[in-house]
Every structure is written in C-alpha cells, then in structure tokens.
Amino acid sequence: MRRTKLGRSRAPAVKSLRTTLVIYLLIGTLLPLLIVGIVSYTSIYSILSGKIGSGISASLRQEALSLENAIDNLDFASKQFALDGQIVEEMNSFLQEKQIYRKSQIMNSINQKINLVNFTNPYIGLTAYIMPGSKDPVLFTNMSTRQSFDVSTLPSFMRYNGADYFGPHSTMYAVGDNVVFSEQRIVRVNGRNELYIYLETNYSLLRKIFNQEAYGMKVNHLLVNQSGTLTHKIDGEVPGKIVKAAGTSGGEGHEVLDGYHLFRYESPQGWKLVAVVKKSVFNSEIYTWFYKMILLALLTLLFAGVLAWLIWKKIYGPLRKVNVEIIRMAENVTAPVAFTNVEEFDFVLSNFQQMKDQVNELIQAVARNEKQKSQFEIEKLLSQINPHFLHNTLNTVQWLARLNGQKEIDKLVTLLVKVLHYNLGKQSIIVTIGEEIEAIRNYMELQRIRYDYEFEFNVQAEDNVLTAAVPRFLLQPLVENSIYHGLSDNGRVDVIIKAHGSTEVQLCVKDNGAGMTDAQIEELLSDDSAKKRGLGIGFAYVMRMLRTYYDGQMELQIKGGEGEGTTISIIIPRKSKEDFDD
C-alpha cells in the first residue's frame, strides 16, 4: 500500500473581531469627519481669508478716504487764504502800508479772517502766513509757532493742485508734538516778496484716521509719498524689506511677502497707503477654527473607542455561546442549542439548530442510500440493453430471412436496422439535410409497411440545400404527426425542402388528412404529444431544437383546419456543420 505524507498547512493570519470592530468604527467616524474637515477647511479658509482681507481692504480704504478728505480740506482752506481777493488785497495793503495804526487795523482784519476760517473748518490746525528768508518769517498765525520754523526741513509728501504738501511730521505749534500733515501755497502779492500760506491738519486728526480698533488686529501703516522715494512708518516697526516693497510702484492690491500680508491703496492724489499685517496675526482666526477641529477629532476618536469597547462587550458573550454550540455539535449532534436572549444571535442559533436537524436527516439518508446502492447497481445492469447485441440479433434475423427466401422480412429488418442505427448511433446531433432525408425515407417505409401501404410518401428536395446542416430528428416528429393526424383514404404525406432566399432554408411537411383544431395544435406543441407513439421523440423536441440552435432566427407556421389537411412550415438560416457548436 502506497502512502503519501502530507505536510501541515500554516494557518492564515487573522485579526480578532475586536480589532476589526475598532478599526471599522474609527474609519466610520473619522473618515466622514476627515472629509468634512478637509472640505470645511478649504471653504472656511477661503471664506475667512476673504473676509479678513476684505475687512482690512475696506478699513484701509476708509482711512485713505479720510486722509484724502483732510488733504482736500487743506487744499480748500489754502485757496481761501491765497486766492480770495479781499484777503489777498489786505495782505498787499499790509505789506505796503507804512503807518503803524493803519497796519495794525489791517492785521486785526486778517487775524479775524484766519480765525473765522479755522472756526468753520475743524480739520485745520495751525494756520500762518509766512515769508521765507525774512528775519521773522511768520507774519500772521492763529497759534504760536516754533522759533525754528523752517518749511524747507519738512519731508516732502506731494505736489497737488498747485500746492506743496509735507508730512507726516511733528507740528510747528510751539507747545505741541502731534504728527500732522501740512500744506504750503504761494500767495500772489505785489512786490518782490514771496508770501505763502501755511496750513496744518488738526493735531488729533491722524490719530483718529489710523485707528487700530477698526481692524480688530495689529496692523502697521506705511505711507508712500507721491514720488515713491520716501516711505513713512506711521505706527510700529516693519522690516526694511517690507518697507522697500511697499514703495514699489505698480504693486498688487494684496500680496504676501516674507510672512507679511501687504494691502495697498493708491490714491488719485498720487500717494499710497499700505497696511502691513503679520501672517500669524492674519491667520489667527483660521488657526482658532483649526484647533477646534483638532479638538473635535480627538473627542470623536475617544468616542469611537468607547463605543467600540461597549459594542464588543455586548457581543462577546453571545459569540462565546455560539462558539460553544459549534464545539458541542462535534460531540453531540442531536443536543438542542442554548439561546442567548439576543435577537440576532438567537436567529443565528435557530438556523444552526435547523442545520443540525438537516445534517441528522442527511446522515440517516446517506445510511439508507448506502444500503440500497448495491441493489440499484444490480437493477441498473439488468435494465440495460446492449445496442450492439440488438443490431447483431437483427442482422442474424436478416440473414436467416435471406437464406429462407423471406424477402419481405429481409426488407423489413434491413429498414429497421437503418432506422435504429440512425436513432441509437453515436453520430453528432448535427447532420446534413441529405442524411435526415435518408433516415426519414427509411422510417416512412417502415410506417407504410406497418399500415399496409395505405398512404403515399413523397420527398422533394433541391440539390443545393442537401449539404445544409440541421439538428438530428428535426423532420421525423413532423412526418410522424402527419401519419397520426393525416391518414385517410388515399392519404398522402409530402416533404418539401427548398431554398428560401439566399441565406435560409424552408422545411415543409404537408398532408391531405382530416386537419387539426387549435386544441390539437396546442397538444401537438406540448411535451407529451408523441411519447406514446413511434420512437417517442415528440413534436416539442422540434421546438426545443429550434429555440436552442436558432433562437429568434427561425419561423414556424402550422396551417390547416378540419377536413383541409395540415401544413407545417419551418424557415431556418442556412448553416454548415462548422457553424454549430455541437
């Protein structure tokens, strides 16, 4: 006895249900949160950055408009002092007048007009008529000025509407140190003397314009003069590279440079105002939201872990009971299962109990079948008939008939041998029309002998269709049906096979018998129609073959009524044996 040694197979690596459950719950809770977080982050980042940027740009624009308004007020007031005919005429008179009394009267009138303009325009601070180059350059003023009053030392800001603007710089007011903007405009008077009107903004105006509370965050301001050559740091310190970039002409309205956000406003008056915000300050609100999302993710992770532990604790006990029942099945198949009082697990155990019952029944059935197997084998051997023995016996009968001169018996046995060879042989299910016609001729000749030649049988087949292939026994049920339904006095069965177009073949079997009713046609098409007659192939076999090999490509018609005979016509595609999958 030959023995084969089998090696022990390695058990596949597995994961516990608890680990799998925890992983699935973590994925199920964190994946949606992650997706929502990514989508929310991109959306919130865009929204918040846009909101913050829009807020800074709006506040910057508001500050710039306030500064433009302050400069326009200076421009308007300076034109009153420099271009108004009455005050200019008084200044001419004052400069040319020699009498002290008259000169003091003119001085009082000019001071009154200066005070009136300053009273009606609260945005204006120090106002003075100055004559550079003189021993005392300040002629008239509404406030006391510094002794070192010199406009040429002030930082140039821009040239606008015929006047020069300076700033931001410290006020020329003698007792003040506020930062202001100033303007100097020439006053056209007679003589060689150059007279100017000098105006400053209100001492608290710049502090009101550049207000940090309007932004809600730390913002530094840079003011670039008209020529772009001087950049003033209004509040706080800014790196030199940022200061240099702020003065670059043609810069974008918003750009990010070296960890700073730069927001620019270019005034129609020619100067630029730049708001500088650190990136960390700009993103502080976004960072706050991001930290909240991280906290939410951690809390969700903790919740998923606790939930996985609770679920595992809930299902671990019933799982142990199910496992115990499986082990008990190997020891005692007939023992009933013990339920867990958990609906889902009890449903599994109920099915498990049914499986145990079915296994018991199958075991008993197998035992009974084993006992009957030998008897079935003997009965099978006894019921088998060897076709070769049948053929040999018929051949013996044939030769005995010939030796004894029994020609009719010889003919009958010869036809029967051919019919049985065609029906019981092992040839392919697919045959040619020629082979099918030859088998039908032999079959019909036997039937004519049986019925004492009471009917005629005729075959008409075109030569060009004899090589076409068809399923075996396609014609026999049709002619058999004609025999049993078409026999009458002077009965006749015709088989007509011809080409139908270039790609199809028409098979037609007709008789001149009593015809068929609709009920008989339905019976003909049933599986039980011919099992009690002939070879028992049945007309339904024809239908199954047609559907199997031709599907929707065939056409079958049954015509005829009572007393009119019956015609069965089949149109099928022309195929060769190679076209079939036999």
Side-chain angles (χ1 to χ4, degrees):
M1 181 180 293
R2 182 179 180 182
R3 298 182 179 179
T4 304
K5 186 177 181 180
L6 299 177
R8 180 176 296 177
S9 60
R10 180 179 298 178
V14 294
K15 292 182 179 179
S16 67
L17 178 61
R18 179 170 54 186
T19 303
T20 304
L21 185 63
V22 171
I23 293 175
Y24 284 175
L25 279 175
L26 291 179
I27 294 175
T29 53
L30 289 182
L31 184 60
L33 181 64
L34 180 62
I35 295 174
V36 172
I38 293 174
V39 175
S40 300
Y41 179 76
T42 55
S43 302
I44 294 296
Y45 184 85
S46 177
I47 293 172
L48 290 179
S49 60
K51 183 192 77 172
I52 296 171
S54 299
I56 294 175
S57 297
S59 299
L60 181 67
R61 181 179 178 83
Q62 186 63 38
E63 291 174 343
L65 292 177
S66 299
L67 185 57
E68 288 176 351
N69 186 49
I71 292 174
D72 287 335
N73 284 329
L74 289 178
D75 179 65
F76 177 74
S78 66
K79 289 178 180 178
Q80 286 182 295
F81 288 115
L83 302 178
D84 183 80
Q86 185 178 1
I87 195 168
V88 171
E89 183 178 352
E90 288 182 344
M91 287 300 301
N92 276 320
S93 300
F94 175 80
L95 293 175
Q96 296 175 4
E97 184 64 45
K98 302 297 184 180
Q99 295 182 2
I100 295 176
Y101 175 74
R102 177 61 182 160
K103 205 165 189 175
S104 83
Q105 287 181 332
I106 298 173
M107 182 184 298
N108 289 333
S109 177
I110 292 174
N111 284 328
Q112 288 178 359
K113 288 182 173 59
I114 291 174
N115 292 330
L116 178 62
V117 172
N118 277 271
F119 178 77
T120 58
N121 195 335
Y123 295 102
I124 297 176
L126 175 64
T127 303
Y129 279 100
I130 61 175
M131 188 175 290
S134 301
K135 183 177 180 181
D136 186 8
V138 179
L139 299 181
F140 298 95
T141 181
N142 63 338
M143 299 177 182
S144 58
T145 61
R146 296 179 183 179
Q147 294 182 356
S148 60
F149 187 98
D150 187 0
V151 176
S152 62
T153 61
L154 301 179
S156 175
F157 185 58
M158 68 174 179
R159 178 78 177 171
Y160 178 65
N161 285 346
D164 294 315
Y165 290 82
F166 308 95
H169 61 84
S170 297
T171 181
M172 290 296 175
Y173 180 46
V175 294
D177 58 355
N178 294 298
V179 178
V180 297
F181 282 88
S182 61
E183 176 194 3
Q184 176 180 273
R185 182 183 293 275
I186 191 169
V187 181
R188 305 296 180 183
V189 293
N190 298 328
R192 297 180 179 179
N193 297 320
E194 290 184 352
L195 181 64
Y196 295 90
I197 181 68
Y198 174 82
L199 298 172
E200 287 183 355
T201 57
N202 186 285
Y203 71 94
S204 62
L205 183 63
L206 261 67
R207 187 170 62 252
K208 293 179 180 178
I209 291 177
F210 301 107
N211 185 6
Q212 292 286 338
E213 295 179 358
Y215 293 91
M217 63 180 66
K218 175 63 177 177
V219 177
N220 300 112
H221 293 86
L222 300 175
L223 188 62
V224 185
N225 64 2
Q226 188 179 45
S227 62
T229 58
L230 187 60
T231 301
H232 302 275
K233 292 181 282 188
I234 297 177
D235 44 14
E237 290 296 325
V238 178
K241 187 175 181 179
I242 303 301
V243 174
K244 183 178 180 180
T248 304
S249 60
E252 298 178 357
H254 173 222
E255 67 173 329
V256 181
L257 180 64
D258 287 349
Y260 287 86
H261 287 267
L262 276 69
F263 295 86
R264 291 185 178 87
Y265 176 84
E266 295 190 12
S267 173
Q269 296 175 350
W271 47 270
K272 288 194 290 287
L273 181 62
V274 181
V276 180
V277 185
K278 280 188 177 182
K279 201 170 183 178
S280 57
V281 176
F282 184 87
N283 293 330
S284 59
E285 190 172 353
I286 299 175
Y287 292 155
T288 301
W289 176 88
F290 184 70
Y291 295 147
K292 290 180 180 179
M293 288 296 298
I294 292 178
L295 179 61
L296 178 61
L298 294 176
L299 293 177
T300 304
L301 185 64
L302 177 62
F303 172 76
V306 173
L307 183 62
W309 180 78
L310 292 175
I311 294 175
W312 167 249
K313 186 177 179 181
K314 183 67 177 177
I315 67 176
Y316 180 68
L319 276 176
R320 285 181 57 86
K321 287 187 177 181
V322 172
N323 185 50
V324 169
E325 291 298 331
I326 294 174
I327 296 174
R328 286 179 58 193
M329 181 178 176
E331 300 172 353
N332 188 357
V333 180
T334 60
V337 299
F339 293 98
T340 62
N341 295 325
V342 178
E343 181 179 356
E344 290 76 11
F345 287 100
D346 286 347
F347 176 75
V348 173
L349 290 172
S350 176
N351 291 334
F352 185 72
Q353 180 64 53
Q354 293 180 7
M355 184 194 71
K356 290 176 67 175
D357 295 339
Q358 292 176 358
V359 168
N360 289 330
E361 294 176 359
L362 289 174
I363 292 174
Q364 296 174 4
V366 168
R368 289 194 301 269
N369 291 337
E370 286 295 329
K371 293 179 181 180
Q372 297 175 356
K373 184 176 180 181
S374 298
Q375 183 179 355
F376 288 158
E377 289 294 333
I378 295 174
E379 293 177 355
K380 180 180 178 181
L381 292 174
L382 292 176
S383 64
Q384 289 181 338
I385 298 177
N386 192 331
H388 292 285
F389 175 76
L390 180 60
H391 279 286
N392 293 335
T393 303
L394 290 175
N395 285 331
T396 302
V397 174
Q398 180 183 6
W399 282 107
L400 288 175
R402 289 181 182 179
L403 291 174
N404 294 319
Q406 300 292 333
K407 295 182 179 180
E408 291 183 356
I409 296 176
D410 181 17
K411 181 180 179 181
L412 180 62
V413 172
T414 300
L415 291 173
L416 180 58
V417 169
K418 291 181 179 180
V419 170
L420 290 177
H421 179 75
Y422 184 78
N423 287 307
L424 301 179
K426 297 182 180 180
Q427 61 265 40
S428 171
I429 193 66
I430 303 301
V431 296
T432 63
I433 291 178
E435 293 172 340
E436 184 75 3
I437 290 175
E438 182 181 358
I440 288 299
R441 288 182 188 276
N442 296 329
Y443 173 76
M444 291 302 291
E445 189 63 26
L446 282 175
Q447 293 289 9
R448 291 184 70 212
I449 294 174
R450 176 187 175 188
Y451 287 95
D452 197 16
Y453 299 97
E454 292 180 355
F455 65 90
E456 294 183 6
F457 175 69
N458 183 45
V459 177
Q460 298 178 16
E462 296 179 354
D463 294 337
N464 60 346
V465 298
L466 295 179
T467 57
V470 293
R472 195 153 59 125
F473 303 124
L474 191 61
L475 292 177
Q476 179 177 304
L478 304 182
V479 297
E480 191 173 272
N481 177 74
S482 296
I483 292 174
Y484 289 101
H485 292 280
L487 283 181
S488 62
D489 295 337
N490 299 319
R492 180 182 178 86
V493 178
D494 292 316
V495 176
I496 302 171
I497 303 175
K498 59 183 179 179
H500 186 269
S502 60
T503 60
E504 294 178 322
V505 177
Q506 183 179 18
L507 310 174
C508 183
V509 178
K510 58 190 298 187
D511 62 67
N512 60 350
M516 300 177 66
T517 63
D518 293 341
Q520 289 174 326
I521 292 175
E522 291 180 3
E523 181 185 358
L524 178 66
L525 296 175
S526 67
D527 289 337
D528 299 329
S529 62
K531 288 186 177 180
K532 297 179 181 179
R533 298 190 291 268
L535 294 174
I537 296 175
F539 189 81
Y541 165 83
V542 177
M543 298 301 299
R544 287 197 298 271
M545 289 296 102
L546 292 175
R547 294 191 187 100
T548 300
Y549 289 99
Y550 300 105
D551 197 13
Q553 298 177 342
M554 64 86 180
E555 179 182 349
L556 185 144
Q557 293 182 350
I558 302 178
K559 298 181 181 179
E562 294 186 18
E564 298 178 359
T566 303
T567 301
I568 301 176
S569 175
I570 300 174
I571 298 176
I572 57 176
R574 180 182 295 189
K575 295 184 177 181
S576 63
K577 287 187 176 182
E578 291 75 14
D579 296 331
F580 288 92
D581 184 14
D582 187 6

